[in-house]
Amino acid sequence: MNAAKVDKIVSEVLVGNKRYIARAISMLENESSQAAEIIKGLYPHCGRAHVIGITGPPGAGKSTMVGALVNQFRQSDKKCGIILIDPSSPFTGGAILGDRIRMPEHTTDKGVFIRSMGTRGSLGGLALATRDTVKVLDAAGYDLIIIETVGIGQAETDIVQTADTVVVVSVPGLGDHIQTLKAGVMEIADIFAVNKADTDGASKTVRELKLMIELSNYPAAERPPVIPVSSLKNEGIDKLAGSILELHSQALESGRFEKRRKEQLAIELNEIIRWQLIKRINSKISQHELDVSINELYLHQITPHETAHNILKSLLKGDE
Ligand SMILES: Nc1nc2c(ncn2[C@@H]2O[C@H](COP(=O)(O)OP(=O)(O)OP(=O)(O)O)[C@@H](O)[C@H]2O)c(=O)[nH]1
Ligand SMILES: [Mg+2]
């Protein structure tokens, strides 16, 4: 592909052409040789979107909630980009997931773009691929970018930390989930949504969460609100949507937004450096050299640290 084609992709993404948006995301995911040029064309146009992370245990109703939130946001004509992260799924490449996300009405809405991402196809890892997808949607003019991910494990936590506003979804009757929250996921929440508030035990869960927040390290002024909602019945969704937007305006004013974005950029830069280094190493070291080194390690003739040091040294020298 030549430069003219990259220009075409960039300009079509910038005017919001969905076909080209999907294509650009695939090219970035697959590390096409034009990926760097595409990002370069889009990056100056990024930075306007509000990125919202929705996380919680499997089956908590996250997708239903995303659908209900999008309905709400669309009423004020905000364009919504949705990224569904499914770490266990082999599917990727923009499968139409209107069905799975329980929002079939949105698949024909011009102001809504839905993308699913699995682990396969994103060579540099899911977090990097997610950030690049956010860039494409941001440049394409989506006002809100909503990332849904199952809240288990560090990888998912990292992805959520790509967001400006993180909503942690809980549901009644999940004592264990509250325990996991205590163990660390808790700190990432800007808002707690107790979904399925139409079922028994919701007020108990709300009380438990509020207590936990009081006992936690949140500074009093930054304690996340706990909002009961029924995504299924569309109750409390207006309040949740309002709270998400309100927190964002506050963060913009107080400087919290800038601080968090800069922390995220530092993490992203670090990940890209590591990824590029690994790619370079893999392309420059022959299997034979590697076998020799591993044999030396096996015979305890050299330490793994020395071997790694030597490999890096010879690589960096080769680059000079
Ligand atoms: N009663 C009730 N059920 C709900 C509510 N929200 C979602 N559900 C149901 O919960 C089930 C799971 O909903 P999803 O939206 O797929 O949940 P999810 O968290 O996205 O699930 P995964 O992505 O598979 O982790 C579905 O049967 C929904 O209809 C709610 O507010 N009340
Ligand atoms: Mg889901």
Side-chain angles (χ1 to χ4, degrees), residues 57-64 102 148 150 195-196 198-199 230-232:
K62 298 178 295 297
S63 300
T64 315
R102 292 170 222 282
E148 174 192 330
V150 177
N195 193 35
K196 307 196 185 184
D198 53 293
T199 63
S230 169
S231 302
L232 202 59

Side-chain angles (χ1 to χ4, degrees), residues 10-192:
V10 168
S11 59
E12 291 296 330
V13 168
L14 291 179
V15 297
N17 183 329
K18 284 191 183 181
R19 203 157 54 87
Y20 279 87
I21 293 172
R23 196 162 149 202
I25 294 171
S26 297
M27 289 173 71
L28 297 181
E29 258 184 346
N30 300 326
E31 294 241 332
S32 135
S33 50
Q34 277 75 35
E37 286 303 306
I38 291 175
I39 295 270
K40 195 172 167 186
L42 298 177
Y43 202 68
H45 305 273
C46 294
R48 290 187 316 110
H50 172 190
V51 185
I52 302 162
I54 308 272
T55 188
K62 298 178 295 297
S63 300
T64 315
M65 183 178 288
V66 171
L69 280 172
V70 168
N71 273 332
Q72 186 71 35
F73 290 135
R74 290 299 291 144
Q75 284 176 23
S76 46
D77 224 28
K78 289 190 185 299
K79 288 178 75 183
C80 298
I82 300 161
I83 306 173
L84 288 171
I85 311 279
D86 191 348
S88 60
S89 160
F91 293 106
T92 184
I96 301 296
L97 282 177
D99 225 30
R100 279 199 57 225
I101 195 177
R102 292 170 222 282
M103 42 193 301
E105 73 271 26
H106 293 308
T107 52
T108 53
D109 182 343
K110 278 206 166 62
V112 176
F113 184 92
I114 306 174
R115 178 73 176 205
S116 117
M117 312 188 64
T119 36
R120 234 178 272 168
S122 42
L123 301 177
L126 210 44
L128 277 180
T130 305
R131 288 195 188 96
D132 283 344
T133 302
V134 166
K135 289 184 189 75
V136 176
L137 296 178
D138 187 354
Y142 288 91
D143 304 296
L144 302 171
I145 299 171
I146 306 179
I147 306 174
E148 174 192 330
T149 175
V150 177
I152 36 172
Q154 186 61 43
E156 285 70 53
T157 311
D158 290 348
I159 289 160
V160 166
Q161 279 172 338
T162 302
D164 304 309
T165 313
V166 175
V167 179
V168 172
V169 183
S170 211
V171 284
L174 261 192
D176 283 355
H177 179 54
I178 303 234
Q179 291 304 321
T180 356
L181 285 175
K182 270 188 196 159
V185 189
M186 169 141 194
E187 285 73 18
I188 66 170
D190 296 296
I191 299 173
F192 282 100

